[in-house]
């Protein structure tokens, strides 16, 4: 049966948002996908666009704006417009003070958004994934995969990369079912992979790929040579810091807890993509 009350997906054209919107539609829900480029316009930097997106909905999936986090303001606006349930995309390490190098992490955007949600009277769920598997196919690392060489300052550190379809399924469960309110779910894939292992999986799936360790300085210089502003390249290097130091190597059980099955492997992801 079709549910005609729309579920709002803020960031509905992005990596996780469009998958959440797709799964909701498949399940018969009416979806209001909102972003700067969607028919339902939502711009994190322009609060004048918020109310039109929020009006007439009671449930929303929220992808925050990392560059200019205003999640606490959005939580307040959602409460004022009568929303009842929010599912927030966050990140592993959001609550760890020294997660990013020596830069204090206690007042980062993810943590402030989580706290605002927990302090509200809304039904809430927080989803904290590790690095997306799809960063290699459509995101952060995709240009390196296209070039055939993962030149990253990560060396032999491993990460249990998580499939964004798993993230979306967890989010949809929290949006549409009871029993997930007041919960924070950390998500990962089934086992940690080094970049050598990632490259081998791509090669086995028909995309030749190697991994060449580089220093942070080499990584930044290469991104600048690609036309990326140096300050952006430095931010990227900083974001890679926890991965390089092995802080992303541990497994999380959120996928199993919510979905009752193991998370997808990289090989499964690449097989579906092919």
């Amino acid at each position: 049966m079709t549910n005609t009350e729309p579920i709002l997906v803020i960031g509905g054209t992005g990596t996780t948002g469009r998958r959440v919107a797709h799964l909701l539609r498949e399940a018969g829900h009416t979806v209001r996908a909102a972003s700067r480029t969607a028919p339902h316009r939502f711009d994190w930097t322009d609060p004048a666009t918020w109310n039109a997106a929020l009006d007439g909905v009671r449930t929303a999936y929220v992808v925050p704006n990392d560059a200019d986090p205003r999640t606490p303001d959005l939580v307040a606006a959602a409460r004022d417009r009568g929303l009842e349930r929010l599912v927030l995309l966050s990140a592993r390490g959001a609550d760890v003070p020294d997660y990013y190098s020596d830069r204090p992490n206690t007042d980062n955007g993810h943590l402030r958004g989580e706290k605002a949600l927990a302090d509200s009277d809304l039904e809430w769920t927080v989803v904290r994934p590790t690095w997306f598997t799809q960063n290699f196919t459509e995101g952060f690392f995709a240009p390196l995969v296209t070039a055939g060489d993962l030149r990253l300052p990560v060396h032999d550190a491993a990460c249990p990369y998580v499939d964004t379809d798993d993230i979306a399924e967890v989010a949809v469960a929290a949006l549409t079912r009871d029993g997930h309110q007041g919960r924070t779910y950390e998500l990962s894939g089934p086992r940690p992979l080094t970049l050598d292992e990632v490259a081998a999986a791509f090669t086995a799936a028909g995309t030749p790929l190697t991994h060449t360790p580089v220093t942070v300085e080499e990584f930044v210089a290469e991104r600048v040579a690609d036309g990326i502003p140096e300050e952006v390249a430095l931010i990227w290097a900083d974001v890679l810091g926890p991965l390089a130091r092995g802080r992303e190597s541990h497994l999380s059980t959120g996928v199993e807890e919510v979905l009752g099955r193991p998370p997808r492997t990289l090989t499964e992801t690449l097989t579906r993509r092919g």
Side-chain angles (χ1 to χ4, degrees):
M1 180 180 295
T2 300
N3 187 338
T4 57
E5 184 177 86
I7 295 177
L8 174 64
V9 180
I10 294 176
T13 58
T15 303
T16 66
R18 72 175 185 272
R19 289 172 165 86
V20 168
H22 173 73
L23 290 176
L24 288 170
R25 291 189 182 106
E26 278 197 331
H29 296 276
T30 301
V31 176
R32 181 181 296 173
S35 71
R36 286 182 298 176
T37 59
H40 293 282
R41 186 168 179 268
F42 180 96
D43 186 340
W44 276 107
T45 66
D46 182 7
T49 66
W50 296 6
N51 285 346
L54 294 168
D55 281 344
V57 302
R58 291 191 295 173
T59 304
Y61 174 69
V62 179
V63 179
N65 179 15
D66 291 342
D68 185 15
R70 301 187 184 188
T71 310
D73 295 335
L74 187 279
V75 170
R79 183 190 61 235
D80 292 344
R81 307 307 286 190
L83 272 76
E84 299 173 0
R85 179 177 295 185
L86 293 185
V87 175
L88 177 66
L89 181 68
S90 185
R92 289 205 310 183
D95 59 339
V96 180
D98 61 347
Y99 202 70
Y100 291 95
S101 189
D102 297 322
R103 176 166 55 83
N105 195 36
T106 54
D107 194 35
N108 66 80
H110 282 307
L111 189 61
R112 283 185 280 118
E114 289 186 16
K115 185 176 187 305
L117 197 54
D119 289 344
S120 75
D121 56 1
L122 300 171
E123 297 178 352
W124 60 268
T125 307
V126 171
V127 179
R128 290 181 182 165
T130 187
W131 284 78
F132 302 169
T133 301
Q134 278 75 8
N135 279 321
F136 294 102
T137 59
E138 58 189 69
F140 190 58
F141 306 140
L144 302 178
V145 173
T146 300
D149 191 359
L150 291 173
R151 299 179 59 82
L152 291 165
V154 173
H155 299 277
D156 61 353
C159 175
Y161 301 96
V162 62
D163 192 308
T164 50
D165 287 326
D166 286 345
I167 299 170
E169 287 189 36
V170 169
V172 167
L175 288 165
T176 61
R177 304 176 199 163
D178 292 330
H180 302 293
Q181 291 68 56
R183 299 288 304 274
T184 296
Y185 293 113
E186 293 201 353
L187 312 182
S188 79
R191 74 179 185 92
L193 299 173
T194 65
L195 289 183
D196 284 337
E197 291 173 311
V198 170
F202 269 88
T203 300
T207 300
L209 186 61
T210 59
H211 164 226
T212 302
V214 297
T215 65
V216 170
E217 292 75 19
E218 289 171 327
F219 172 78
V220 170
E222 290 173 8
R223 300 290 74 72
V224 171
D226 290 338
I228 304 297
E230 183 177 11
E231 61 271 21
V232 175
L234 288 167
I235 290 172
W236 287 6
D238 189 42
V239 169
L240 285 165
L243 181 58
R245 292 189 298 278
R247 305 205 70 170
E248 286 287 350
S249 63
H250 62 284
L251 298 179
S252 296
T253 60
V255 173
E256 293 94 331
E257 290 177 47
V258 178
L259 304 181
R261 62 161 177 81
R264 294 175 171 94
T265 66
L266 175 57
T267 298
E268 289 171 330
T269 301
L270 296 179
T271 299
R272 292 188 352 265
R273 174 172 170 254

